[in-house]
Amino acid sequence: MLVSYADLGGTVRATLGFSRRAEYRLEETRGRLRVLLEEPVDRSSKIDRDLDGDVVRRLRVDETSRGGVVVFTLGKRYATFSSAELDDPFRIVLTFLPEGSSPPEPGEQEDPQPGQGSIPGPAVPPGAEPVIPPGSGSPLAEPSGPLRRVVLDPGHGGSEEGAVSRSGLKEKEIVLDIARRLRDRLAGDGYSVALTRDGDEAVDLESRTALANQAGADLFVSIHANASLRSAVHGAETYFLSYGASDEEAMSLARLENRSPAGPGAVRGDDIKAVLWEMAQAEHLASSSRLADIIQTELNGLGGTSDRGVKQAPFRVLVGAAMPAVLVEVGFVSNDAEEKRLASGDYREQVAAAMASAIDRFRQERLRASGYSAP
């Protein structure tokens, strides 16, 4: 089970996501709302967190003698709640309303349809001001159709060079060039695209996601190049967010990428704000996984590359994204053959073309699943 939580300007929305339909009942007592599940929750889903809200103060996910339980401790401004069910995958959506607010109109609790944007999530930690990264330009322009707002994140920049090859080829330069090429391709297809940096400037990790949230982006794609102590290692790999990691190698990469200097309002470790950011992305976990699958498939079609698969890891740059978000490692600069390809403008164009095709495939797939027809 995955739990996501977002404060939507007073009204609070919590979504419980399941791999299959769950049998449950709701029980409201004085000061608490319980979701009683017939099946136990797995250990990784257990949560006990203070949310410090006036509507919902605490969230706990635990086991009982009969199954699992999700307990919301209600705050002093709580008035009432409403619930809804969504399918594919099965979700229970709970909306907690503060005093003086009106119940949501029918359909407001449903997942956003194409053109309506993503379910809002916290763009920055509570109490911190949003930061628009330098060089990011103006907000996203109006796109030529639904699900066409994309924020591309060229990794590193400024003093943060990222991976550097033996010949001096720098990750920050490779990925900026690929991001610009990808932006131009997507813009030519009617997408509205912004870069978290469009020059050689440093941008902290938290501000990158904040830009995507503020822009109401439909997708967030962070682009990187890899390195390894083993020069034979090569190939592309695509990641989406997880509290853990697929393997030790994925965790080591996340630790390395997470070393970037923190920005204003940065969160670390067990801080509750970090947990809330991760829970915001949990709402989009299935879509992020699917986007990663499609991108990886397209990159696998490039000549000379090797399929290193789709993986999960706790990348800070993906934490807090209120939309499907992935991190793409386009190749290894530590491998001589792959370094030569990544140094080539023609090959970078091929990488950009593959990623543009993947993004468009993902968009079309989501539109078809929603029964929506659009160019």
Side-chain angles (χ1 to χ4, degrees):
M1 179 179 69
L2 291 171
V3 183
S4 65
Y5 173 96
D7 188 330
L8 312 178
T11 297
V12 171
R13 174 178 291 164
T15 303
L16 315 182
F18 303 85
S19 59
R20 61 180 183 276
R21 184 170 187 84
E23 298 300 323
Y24 69 97
R25 62 187 175 90
L26 302 175
E27 181 182 274
E28 184 177 7
T29 58
R30 186 172 182 179
R32 286 182 176 81
L33 175 69
R34 293 182 176 87
V35 184
L36 300 169
L37 305 166
E38 290 193 1
E39 295 185 9
V41 297
D42 58 81
R43 181 174 300 177
S44 64
S45 298
K46 291 184 179 180
I47 299 171
D48 191 0
R49 300 288 181 182
D50 285 319
L51 304 180
D52 298 325
D54 291 336
V55 178
V56 178
R57 293 193 296 110
R58 190 176 186 87
L59 169 62
R60 179 168 61 88
V61 180
D62 208 346
E63 291 180 315
T64 69
S65 59
R66 296 184 178 180
V69 62
V70 183
V71 181
F72 298 91
T73 302
L74 307 172
K76 60 185 178 182
R77 292 192 60 225
Y78 167 78
T80 188
F81 81 95
S82 61
S83 65
E85 294 181 2
L86 299 174
D87 294 314
D88 297 325
F90 179 70
R91 285 148 291 163
I92 304 168
V93 182
L94 301 169
T95 302
F96 299 86
L97 299 170
E99 294 175 343
S101 62
S102 302
E105 295 296 326
E108 277 190 8
Q109 288 182 306
E110 296 179 357
D111 275 352
Q113 295 300 308
Q116 293 180 301
S118 301
I119 295 177
V124 294
E129 290 298 320
V131 177
I132 294 293
S136 61
S138 58
L140 289 172
E142 189 63 31
S144 63
L147 298 182
R148 286 190 184 270
R149 294 177 180 269
V150 179
V151 169
L152 303 176
D153 172 45
H156 306 283
S159 61
E160 293 290 315
E161 295 183 340
V164 181
S165 73
R166 287 188 296 178
S167 68
L169 187 64
K170 297 175 182 178
E171 176 185 1
K172 67 174 184 177
E173 297 170 353
I174 298 170
V175 298
L176 178 58
D177 186 44
I178 291 174
R180 287 170 171 168
R181 294 170 185 268
L182 177 54
R183 173 193 60 192
D184 294 346
R185 281 183 169 273
L186 290 173
D189 290 335
Y191 285 82
S192 176
V193 186
L195 303 186
T196 58
R197 67 177 182 94
D198 199 6
D200 187 20
E201 60 268 338
V203 183
D204 63 80
L205 296 178
E206 287 75 20
S207 295
R208 296 169 188 256
T209 314
L211 171 66
N213 287 348
Q214 290 172 358
D218 299 306
L219 297 177
F220 178 81
V221 180
S222 189
I223 306 172
H224 293 255
N226 216 333
S228 173
L229 294 175
R230 295 171 292 150
S231 61
V233 176
H234 67 289
E237 54 194 18
T238 309
Y239 289 83
F240 61 103
L241 184 66
S242 170
Y243 305 118
S246 303
D247 49 46
E248 184 53 40
E249 190 174 31
M251 181 59 79
S252 296
L253 178 62
R255 292 192 190 105
L256 185 64
E257 296 288 4
N258 291 348
R259 287 178 183 173
S260 176
V267 291
R268 300 183 186 280
D270 261 349
D271 192 295
I272 180 60
K273 296 171 186 176
V275 174
L276 291 180
W277 274 35
E278 289 177 350
M279 290 168 67
Q281 173 57 202
E283 176 72 27
H284 305 282
L285 185 65
S287 293
S288 297
S289 173
R290 181 57 184 153
L291 175 60
D293 284 338
I294 296 175
I295 289 176
Q296 187 64 34
T297 298
E298 291 289 339
L299 292 177
N300 290 344
L302 298 179
T305 194
S306 175
D307 179 14
R308 290 181 55 83
V310 173
K311 304 178 182 180
Q312 291 179 269
F315 288 102
R316 273 175 54 204
V317 74
L318 300 181
V319 172
M323 73 287 298
V326 298
L327 183 146
V328 184
E329 297 279 358
V330 296
F332 283 76
V333 298
S334 52
N335 178 271
D336 289 343
E338 201 145 72
E339 180 209 19
K340 290 179 181 178
R341 285 194 293 273
L342 290 171
S344 162
D346 288 343
Y347 186 73
R348 294 179 189 181
E349 191 67 36
Q350 291 177 43
V351 172
M355 294 178 67
S357 176
I359 288 170
D360 201 58
R361 278 182 56 193
F362 177 78
R363 174 180 179 267
Q364 295 295 337
E365 188 176 286
R366 290 192 68 185
L367 291 178
R368 287 195 300 270
S370 302
Y372 190 90
S373 178

